Amino acid sequence: MTKTVRYLTHPQVLIDPAKEITDWSLNSVGTARVTALARQLGSLSATKRVISSAERKALETARPLATALGVSLEIRPLMHENDRSSTGFLPPEEFEKTADAFFANPSQSVRGWETAQDAQRRIVSEVELCLSDGVTGDVLFVGHGGVGTLIFCALTGATIDRRHDQGPGGGGCWFQFDSTDRRPPRPWQVMERLAQGG
């Protein structure tokens, strides 16, 4: 049975250089955006499964939505963002340059980061594994911009390239595809469009 699958990235985070990146939480803007969507689910109303990365910012996005939908939250540790533990926190300008290099050289490790190709194989494998169980109903994956972009590239048949990224604004974007053709019909959209039925 065909079902709609959506991938949603966590919105804005509280950047704290003193904490591990995986333990960053949503900031007040990000929390408000998630709260608003949980109050008006819109297109998410038919969702039967919510599956999240184990990183705190993803969980803080997924948990309120799962609660509002009345479904249990499934946590998949292998759905984490691309592994950049080798550098830890980087100042914004330095991070953007490193992220550019990550996407531009997908087979190479940039400054010790997980390669884009390895991250893509990992995240696509996890998504496919979750969708292979035959459970009916719409599915919402909640995760991160980097690996979300890698999924989008894989599904559209595009070469790994940062131009397919979710765009500026601090996250909180999504795309969808149906479980049959596995091809997104539209590019990334902001999460507020979900509440509007977009």
Side-chain angles (χ1 to χ4, degrees):
M1 179 181 293
T2 300
K3 53 193 171 190
T4 299
V5 182
R6 298 180 178 88
Y7 189 93
L8 171 67
T9 67
H10 64 78
Q12 291 90 336
V13 300
L14 182 62
I15 296 174
D16 185 349
K19 287 185 177 180
E20 293 290 334
I21 297 169
T22 54
D23 199 38
W24 285 357
S25 60
L26 299 182
N27 67 17
S28 58
V29 174
T31 299
R33 294 179 72 192
V34 173
T35 299
L37 181 56
R39 287 177 179 161
Q40 186 173 339
L41 292 164
S43 297
L44 294 181
S45 297
T47 302
K48 301 302 181 188
R49 296 178 71 191
V50 178
I51 304 168
S52 177
S53 156
E55 294 191 31
R56 181 175 177 179
K57 47 193 173 285
L59 292 172
E60 289 182 359
T61 304
R63 189 169 284 119
L65 299 177
T67 298
L69 288 161
V71 301
S72 60
L73 177 60
E74 302 174 45
I75 301 173
R76 306 285 296 199
L78 288 179
M79 288 183 60
H80 61 79
E81 181 62 289
N82 58 297
D83 184 351
R84 17 186 230 273
S85 55
S86 60
T87 57
F89 171 77
L90 294 174
E93 185 175 339
E94 187 177 356
F95 170 80
E96 292 299 329
K97 289 180 179 178
T98 309
D100 284 344
F102 167 80
F103 283 102
N105 305 279
S107 65
Q108 300 173 26
S109 173
V110 178
R111 299 182 64 176
W113 284 15
E114 177 182 28
T115 72
Q117 286 181 350
D118 286 345
Q120 185 181 61
R121 279 191 288 268
R122 170 177 55 79
I123 192 67
V124 169
S125 176
E126 280 295 287
V127 167
E128 290 295 340
L129 187 60
C130 289
L131 296 179
S132 68
D133 59 11
V135 177
T136 60
D138 290 356
V139 178
L140 175 67
F141 289 100
V142 179
H144 311 276
V147 290
T149 299
L150 297 174
I151 297 171
F152 186 87
C153 290
L155 293 173
T156 59
T159 301
I160 292 175
D161 193 305
R162 202 177 186 189
R163 66 190 176 90
H164 302 295
D165 201 354
Q166 63 181 335
C173 295
W174 61 281
F175 63 86
Q176 72 179 45
F177 57 95
D178 73 52
S179 59
T180 301
D181 71 10
R182 299 283 210 274
R183 194 163 187 89
R186 296 186 298 276
W188 292 92
Q189 300 179 73
V190 294
M191 63 192 295
E192 285 74 17
R193 288 290 302 275
L194 288 167
Q196 300 163 8

